[in-house]
Amino acid sequence: NAGVTQTPKFRILKIGQSMTLQCAQDMNHNYMYWYRQDPGMGLKLIYYSVGAGITDKGEVPNGYNVSRSTTEDFPLRLELAAPSQTSVYFCASSYYSGGTNYGYTFGSGTRLTVV
Amino acid sequence: EDKVVQSPLSLVVHEGDTVTLNCSYEVTNFRSLLWYKQEKKAPTFLFMLTSSGIEKKSGRLSSILDKKELFSILNITATQTGDSAVYLCAVEVDEWGDDKIIFGKGTRLHILP
């Protein structure tokens, strides 16, 4: 049981490049989330998914895209990277049932620098 | 607009001191309040609070929620240098039948030996 696995751990992108941040969980969690964390700003929700095939925007979705073709995987795509996307990205998952969320689990984070 | 406010933003104390971290919120459709500890890696879950007045305890850490006054506190007694971290408060809300989490900016706690 690996929990939430994020790859890569670090990446440097040039302005205008694209990349995909991978996130996988093996806990059969139905909810998955992508956050970014900027210094002094706390975590901000980018996108989330309540189940396979369903995704929704969070607070800061511009410049990102996601897909949820399986329960396990929730990749985050950055198109045309900009310096403002320099941040630490966290993927998380949880099991939601009966009006309650259980077992929030975070990945170890991806540190992305756009130069 | 839903918001979560933590105070203080940073705190420096000596080992052995007791600290209280505050989290206030203004949200619609409150579900739960969560506390996390973040060191170098991803935040680790500490507590989930859903009911007022019931203290949750884990070792030297404890937390309580006041749903009438819309705040929560996180207490750490007999602090140790390993408690140095950013402590995040988050509130879970029900938005149109889905679940959303709103985070505060965190309290950066530094414990001096």
Side-chain angles (χ1 to χ4, degrees):
Chain A
N1 189 332
V4 176
T5 303
Q6 278 185 247
T7 56
K9 292 190 184 301
F10 305 94
R11 183 71 186 268
I12 297 174
L13 279 181
K14 292 185 178 179
I15 294 171
Q17 286 185 318
S18 300
M19 76 163 293
T20 299
L21 279 64
Q22 302 292 343
C23 177
Q25 52 93 8
D26 61 357
M27 298 170 285
N28 203 30
H29 283 175
N30 48 356
Y31 277 49
M32 294 187 76
Y33 317 83
W34 273 106
Y35 298 95
R36 58 178 287 172
Q37 182 172 20
D38 303 313
M41 299 294 289
L43 287 166
K44 287 192 179 292
L45 183 64
I46 304 171
Y47 270 94
Y48 68 105
S49 168
V50 302
I54 306 168
T55 62
D56 270 301
K57 295 178 180 179
E59 295 178 81
V60 289
N62 292 341
Y64 307 93
N65 274 302
V66 293
S67 60
R68 185 96 183 269
S69 56
T70 65
T71 299
E72 295 78 19
D73 299 296
F74 191 41
L76 176 72
R77 177 89 179 153
L78 278 74
E79 305 281 1
L80 300 174
S84 62
Q85 294 178 304
T86 294
S87 188
V88 180
Y89 291 83
F90 290 109
C91 178
S93 71
S94 68
Y95 181 69
Y96 183 85
S97 177
T100 303
N101 245 306
Y102 302 93
Y104 278 107
T105 306
F106 282 83
S108 57
T110 296
R111 185 173 295 276
L112 176 68
T113 303
V114 182
V115 296
Chain B
E1 184 185 343
D2 295 337
K3 64 180 180 180
V4 175
V5 179
Q6 290 186 246
S7 63
L9 289 180
S10 66
L11 187 58
V12 180
V13 300
H14 287 281
E15 206 168 20
D17 287 353
T18 293
V19 297
T20 299
L21 310 183
N22 303 293
C23 176
S24 64
Y25 60 93
E26 291 179 27
V27 301
T28 53
N29 301 318
F30 173 91
R31 281 191 180 275
S32 67
L33 187 142
L34 308 155
W35 282 99
Y36 294 92
K37 176 183 181 182
Q38 183 179 18
E39 296 169 278
K40 291 183 179 178
K41 295 185 178 180
T44 52
F45 174 77
L46 295 175
F47 299 109
M48 174 185 277
L49 303 159
T50 56
S51 301
S52 266
I54 299 175
E55 185 182 68
K56 292 213 171 178
K57 207 168 166 59
S58 176
R60 296 177 294 103
L61 277 67
S62 63
S63 184
I64 198 161
L65 173 66
D66 185 328
K67 289 170 77 173
K68 183 179 176 185
E69 299 298 329
L70 308 182
F71 78 91
S72 173
I73 59 171
L74 175 69
N75 275 323
I76 308 174
T77 59
T79 52
Q80 302 170 358
T81 54
D83 295 327
S84 296
V86 174
Y87 289 85
L88 293 168
C89 173
V91 172
E92 187 184 358
V93 301
D94 178 4
E95 184 173 81
W96 301 104
D98 286 340
D99 179 82
K100 189 174 84 168
I101 304 172
I102 304 154
F103 282 85
K105 293 185 178 182
T107 293
R108 186 172 295 276
L109 177 63
H110 185 61
I111 311 297
L112 299 172

